[in-house]
Amino acid sequence: MTVRNELLKNIRQVEPYVPGEQPQHRVVKLNTNENPYPPSPRVAEALRNLDADTLRLYPDPEASALTEALAGYYGVDKNQVFVGVGSDDVLSLCFLTFFNSEKPVLFPDITYSFYKVWAQLYRIPYECPKLNDEFRIVREDYYRENGGIIFPNPNAPTAIYEELDFIEDILAHNRDSVVIVDEAYIDFAGKSALELIGKYDNLIVVQTFSKSRSMAGMRIGYAISNPDLIRCLNNVKYSFNSYTMNQPDLVCGAAAVQDEEYFREKIRMIVATRKWAEEQLKELGFVFPEPKANFIFAKHPDYDAEKLFQDLKANNIYVRHWNSERIRDYLRITIGTEEEMKVLFDFLKSVL
Amino acid sequence: MTVRNELLKNIRQVEPYVPGEQPQHRVVKLNTNENPYPPSPRVAEALRNLDADTLRLYPDPEASALTEALAGYYGVDKNQVFVGVGSDDVLSLCFLTFFNSEKPVLFPDITYSFYKVWAQLYRIPYECPKLNDEFRIVREDYYRENGGIIFPNPNAPTAIYEELDFIEDILAHNRDSVVIVDEAYIDFAGKSALELIGKYDNLIVVQTFSKSRSMAGMRIGYAISNPDLIRCLNNVKYSFNSYTMNQPDLVCGAAAVQDEEYFREKIRMIVATRKWAEEQLKELGFVFPEPKANFIFAKHPDYDAEKLFQDLKANNIYVRHWNSERIRDYLRITIGTEEEMKVLFDFLKSVL
């Protein structure tokens, strides 16, 4: 049965975001910025200890076990923390809640591609100031009238990190706009903007369990801000769905936060592998901005990125490539284990 | 720090839905229509067997393990099934996707209160035809021009079930509108509208794991329709969040669907307890429409419902009461275990 046009004409048609491939066969998977290490053993333990009988009840709508764990970890109040189904859920709700003006929202031309999708979905006007030729955000571009600002730090897919004085400049120039700093990759980078939360009431910091905490499969993201903005966000959330975080999210998320030592150790390992990967890629002739995330955004002056991407894929090595203006010469390569990176470099050495 | 008005003025302010209380102490909890029995033992087994190491990867964005299990169970194609974070997530996305016309969406004046919240959130025009004096939906009210139709069957909080000829009449009179039948409680009632999916391309049936499958704590809901409408829904979903269902959702949901025997047995028990509860309430002088869900919507001609609600709560027996027009004389009482219902009836006998 094909649906008739009379019926289709009033249905919302959208161009969806296309996520990186999740191959079903065994591959070296360096294409979606997942963590190559498993989550803390405490997460496995929390899952094992979860009493399935409790699943008959609705979970705590305030997700207290998780928001309290995060509040304790970051030294903020529980009512300064909002949790959602991955940072995509959190960011999407932030767009709906905070970008409610007639003025355009600002985000870089080269950045996380979901921003544009949400702006279009919610019919929010937006403008995309261009990164400069070194792929850096130009802070002065964000000093004009706007309906809100969002950018990742480090930026994706460039992996470039900006220091806090840069963030603070943007916050200070935009006191009447909400500024969202999307820190999905901050744990691999440097200082978080969280320390500015008390100073700027227009700042929201968003982070995720999907990268540094190895829990992409659990779908946990969070926002930290002042209690007023968090309340606005909660009110909009409660207008969609009272209960978004399931019981395993709450117990596994809290368990992960409690294992600081494991967390630091795995980040240290990834950063070390990244350093080694930088050397290897340089030796092979690649160029790239200084990587401060768990990926490297690299191009080779003599090789076509699209072709390299396809060759890698044909050899079961998955990286990410976008066939879009300004970045089509680049590959985004997630930092895997040393063994995975070795497979990549061996292949690259054989073809370049 | 209090946020300044200059900042707040462009932020979306909404009146959120207020869910039923989740008391933290031990109570007889008959207020949120949860299942009094635990989920199938296969769910506990699936949780125990879940390899926590897989959590580092993003879950399958198509949630295939779960959509395939549901497709197999209902004898439809996998591309006719959409899954979300509870039926609230599914229904909210349905509002956004299918109710995209300038004409008003229709739903009953007394029904699931989230419908109005979503319509307001998405700025969808709506009208609410009144249930008749017996709290029945008047089908002729839905024969006028509209931008879509939604109602629960059985309706909430009335627990009244309408037979399929009623559903079919509404579908046939509204060929160019999407008609959503919200079957959260259908397993306690009668025939599902699913058998009309092949005949009407404008029908979407939404169900949930939260009630009959005892999995409110997992947040799993689903829609079944034709592949065209499901594709529209998926496209909008992919514009929010590529991955909404976490790994435990996928394995636990699939495990639950596979245990047909347990499912049937628990429904049989709840329906038997409901029958006994009907007799008890009648003996106590309560009146109520014939209940076809896992709750009874009852009033007592001689007692004030609000006062009874408070008295029950003071005695750690939680039921639901709304202080709103037409239904403030009623209590919604979830069917618990026999033991829980006995506590309720003993208390009622002592006060009435």
Side-chain angles (χ1 to χ4, degrees):
Chain A
M1 181 166 60
T2 305
V3 160
R4 294 155 299 115
N5 281 334
E6 296 74 34
L7 186 59
L8 280 178
K9 72 176 190 301
N10 286 321
I11 296 176
R12 187 183 287 248
Q13 310 288 337
V14 295
E15 190 69 48
Y17 171 86
V18 180
E21 271 178 279
Q22 295 292 4
Q24 297 306 302
H25 55 291
R26 229 185 137 67
V27 299
V28 174
K29 191 167 181 310
L30 307 173
N31 69 333
T32 52
N33 296 344
E34 287 143 336
N35 197 308
Y37 303 108
S40 156
R42 295 206 200 172
V43 171
E45 195 188 327
L47 264 184
R48 262 198 320 276
N49 293 340
L50 199 160
D51 176 4
D53 289 7
T54 63
L55 297 178
R56 72 176 187 84
L57 298 173
Y58 282 99
D60 170 17
E62 296 182 18
S64 301
L66 186 52
T67 52
E68 280 166 14
L70 287 165
Y73 183 76
Y74 291 108
V76 296
D77 215 75
K78 186 193 155 189
N79 64 8
Q80 293 183 256
V81 183
F82 174 85
V83 293
V85 182
S87 60
D88 285 343
D89 181 40
V90 176
L91 290 166
S92 155
L93 280 174
C94 282
F95 267 66
L96 187 60
T97 307
F98 301 115
F99 297 163
N100 201 36
S101 140
E102 305 288 305
K103 295 175 211 155
V105 164
L106 305 179
F107 49 84
D109 66 332
I110 298 168
T111 194
Y112 186 36
S113 47
F114 242 126
Y115 298 163
K116 197 175 283 187
V117 177
W118 293 319
Q120 289 168 352
L121 181 71
Y122 297 128
R123 292 161 191 168
I124 299 166
Y126 65 94
E127 286 172 15
C128 298
K130 281 192 158 187
L131 298 184
N132 71 14
D133 289 343
E134 283 79 46
F135 286 159
R136 301 286 291 264
I137 299 173
V138 180
R139 68 183 87 183
E140 291 78 10
D141 289 345
Y142 296 81
Y143 294 174
R144 54 177 143 138
E145 246 201 337
N146 62 70
I149 290 172
I150 182 166
F151 56 88
N153 194 35
N155 195 8
T158 64
I160 296 174
Y161 170 74
E162 299 295 347
E163 300 292 341
L164 287 197
D165 68 305
F166 174 99
I167 310 288
E168 193 160 1
D169 264 0
I170 291 182
L171 287 165
H173 278 85
N174 292 282
R175 297 302 306 270
D176 297 343
S177 294
V178 171
V179 176
I180 301 172
V181 184
D182 176 358
E183 294 190 336
Y185 303 102
I186 194 68
D187 296 318
F188 307 107
K191 274 191 171 181
S192 163
L194 279 172
E195 63 184 72
L196 301 174
I197 291 282
K199 194 167 171 192
Y200 294 93
D201 66 358
N202 55 329
L203 170 62
I204 295 177
V205 174
V206 175
Q207 298 192 359
T208 176
F209 282 58
S210 297
K211 314 297 181 183
S212 54
R213 295 198 184 272
S214 307
M215 287 169 74
M218 282 308 290
R219 317 305 301 121
I220 306 176
Y222 52 100
I224 300 183
S225 184
N226 56 70
D228 285 345
L229 295 193
I230 294 298
R231 189 176 47 250
C232 294
L233 200 50
N234 263 314
N235 285 349
V236 172
K237 172 225 147 137
Y238 285 128
S239 304
F240 278 99
N241 195 342
S242 310
Y243 316 94
T244 55
M245 309 306 286
N246 66 17
Q247 195 59 28
D249 275 327
L250 302 184
V251 300
C252 293
V257 171
Q258 279 141 20
D259 198 352
E260 172 74 1
E261 196 182 335
Y262 181 91
F263 175 61
R264 290 291 155 209
E265 169 66 8
K266 289 299 173 278
I267 288 170
R268 197 197 56 71
M269 288 165 72
I270 292 166
V271 169
T273 308
R274 182 178 73 196
K275 195 158 171 41
W276 175 65
E278 285 183 64
E279 291 157 14
Q280 293 286 307
L281 288 172
K282 266 182 202 153
E283 264 179 44
L284 285 160
F286 282 92
V287 293
F288 43 86
E290 191 188 354
K292 290 290 192 178
N294 67 338
F295 56 87
I296 298 179
F297 194 55
K299 76 168 171 182
H300 198 290
D302 310 326
Y303 290 88
D304 183 70
E306 165 92 50
K307 184 174 181 313
L308 205 47
F309 166 75
Q310 294 297 353
D311 288 350
L312 285 163
K313 190 167 160 181
N315 284 274
N316 288 322
I317 302 168
Y318 281 56
V319 299
R320 196 89 199 261
H321 175 257
W322 289 270
N323 195 7
S324 24
E325 217 193 316
R326 296 189 78 191
I327 60 168
R328 64 165 55 89
D329 293 340
Y330 286 79
L331 297 177
R332 191 194 66 185
I333 304 164
T334 304
I335 304 299
T337 59
E338 274 192 43
E339 296 68 36
E340 288 172 317
M341 300 313 279
K342 194 168 177 312
V343 175
L344 170 72
F345 299 137
D346 287 349
F347 178 81
L348 289 175
K349 280 170 197 164
S350 74
V351 296
L352 297 184
Chain B
M1 182 167 58
T2 305
V3 161
R4 294 155 300 117
N5 280 334
E6 296 73 34
L7 186 61
L8 280 178
K9 72 175 191 301
N10 285 322
I11 297 175
R12 187 182 287 250
Q13 310 288 339
V14 296
E15 190 68 51
Y17 171 86
V18 181
E21 273 177 278
Q22 295 293 5
Q24 295 307 305
H25 55 290
R26 226 184 139 69
V27 299
V28 174
K29 190 167 182 309
L30 307 173
N31 70 333
T32 53
N33 296 343
E34 287 143 336
N35 197 308
Y37 303 108
S40 156
R42 295 206 200 174
V43 171
E45 197 188 326
L47 264 184
R48 263 198 318 276
N49 293 340
L50 199 160
D51 176 4
D53 288 6
T54 63
L55 296 179
R56 73 177 187 84
L57 298 173
Y58 282 100
D60 171 17
E62 296 182 17
S64 300
L66 186 51
T67 52
E68 281 166 13
L70 287 165
Y73 183 77
Y74 291 109
V76 297
D77 215 75
K78 185 194 156 189
N79 64 7
Q80 293 183 259
V81 183
F82 174 86
V83 293
V85 182
S87 61
D88 285 343
D89 181 40
V90 175
L91 290 166
S92 155
L93 279 174
C94 283
F95 267 67
L96 187 60
T97 308
F98 301 117
F99 297 164
N100 201 35
S101 141
E102 305 288 303
K103 296 175 211 157
V105 164
L106 306 178
F107 49 84
D109 65 332
I110 298 168
T111 194
Y112 186 36
S113 46
F114 242 126
Y115 298 163
K116 197 175 283 187
V117 177
W118 293 319
Q120 289 168 352
L121 181 70
Y122 297 128
R123 293 159 190 167
I124 298 166
Y126 64 94
E127 286 172 15
C128 297
K130 281 192 158 188
L131 299 184
N132 71 14
D133 289 344
E134 283 79 47
F135 286 158
R136 301 286 291 263
I137 298 173
V138 179
R139 67 183 87 183
E140 291 79 9
D141 289 343
Y142 296 81
Y143 293 175
R144 55 175 141 137
E145 247 200 336
N146 62 70
I149 290 172
I150 182 166
F151 56 89
N153 194 36
N155 194 10
T158 64
I160 296 174
Y161 170 73
E162 299 295 346
E163 299 291 342
L164 286 197
D165 69 304
F166 174 98
I167 309 288
E168 193 160 1
D169 265 0
I170 290 182
L171 287 165
H173 279 86
N174 291 283
R175 297 301 305 272
D176 297 343
S177 294
V178 171
V179 176
I180 301 172
V181 184
D182 176 358
E183 293 190 338
Y185 302 102
I186 194 69
D187 296 317
F188 307 107
K191 274 190 171 180
S192 162
L194 279 172
E195 65 183 71
L196 301 173
I197 291 282
K199 195 167 170 192
Y200 294 93
D201 66 359
N202 55 330
L203 170 63
I204 295 176
V205 175
V206 175
Q207 298 190 359
T208 177
F209 281 58
S210 298
K211 315 296 181 185
S212 55
R213 294 198 185 273
S214 308
M215 287 169 75
M218 283 306 292
R219 316 307 301 123
I220 306 176
Y222 52 100
I224 299 183
S225 184
N226 56 70
D228 285 345
L229 296 194
I230 293 298
R231 190 176 45 249
C232 294
L233 201 50
N234 263 314
N235 285 350
V236 172
K237 171 225 148 133
Y238 285 127
S239 304
F240 279 100
N241 195 342
S242 309
Y243 316 93
T244 55
M245 309 306 286
N246 66 17
Q247 195 58 28
D249 275 326
L250 302 184
V251 300
C252 292
V257 171
Q258 279 140 19
D259 198 352
E260 172 75 2
E261 196 181 335
Y262 182 91
F263 175 63
R264 290 292 154 207
E265 169 65 9
K266 289 299 172 280
I267 289 171
R268 197 196 56 69
M269 287 166 73
I270 291 166
V271 169
T273 308
R274 181 178 74 197
K275 196 161 170 42
W276 174 65
E278 286 183 62
E279 291 158 13
Q280 294 285 308
L281 288 172
K282 266 182 201 153
E283 263 179 43
L284 286 159
F286 282 92
V287 293
F288 44 86
E290 191 186 354
K292 289 290 190 177
N294 68 337
F295 55 88
I296 298 179
F297 194 57
K299 76 168 173 182
H300 198 290
D302 308 327
Y303 290 87
D304 181 69
E306 165 92 50
K307 184 176 181 312
L308 205 47
F309 166 75
Q310 294 296 354
D311 287 350
L312 284 162
K313 190 167 162 182
N315 284 273
N316 288 321
I317 302 169
Y318 280 57
V319 300
R320 195 90 199 260
H321 175 258
W322 288 270
N323 195 6
S324 25
E325 216 194 319
R326 296 191 77 190
I327 60 169
R328 64 167 52 91
D329 294 340
Y330 286 79
L331 297 176
R332 191 195 67 184
I333 304 164
T334 303
I335 304 298
T337 60
E338 273 192 43
E339 295 69 34
E340 289 173 316
M341 300 312 279
K342 194 167 177 310
V343 175
L344 169 72
F345 299 137
D346 286 349
F347 177 81
L348 290 175
K349 278 170 197 161
S350 74
V351 295
L352 299 182

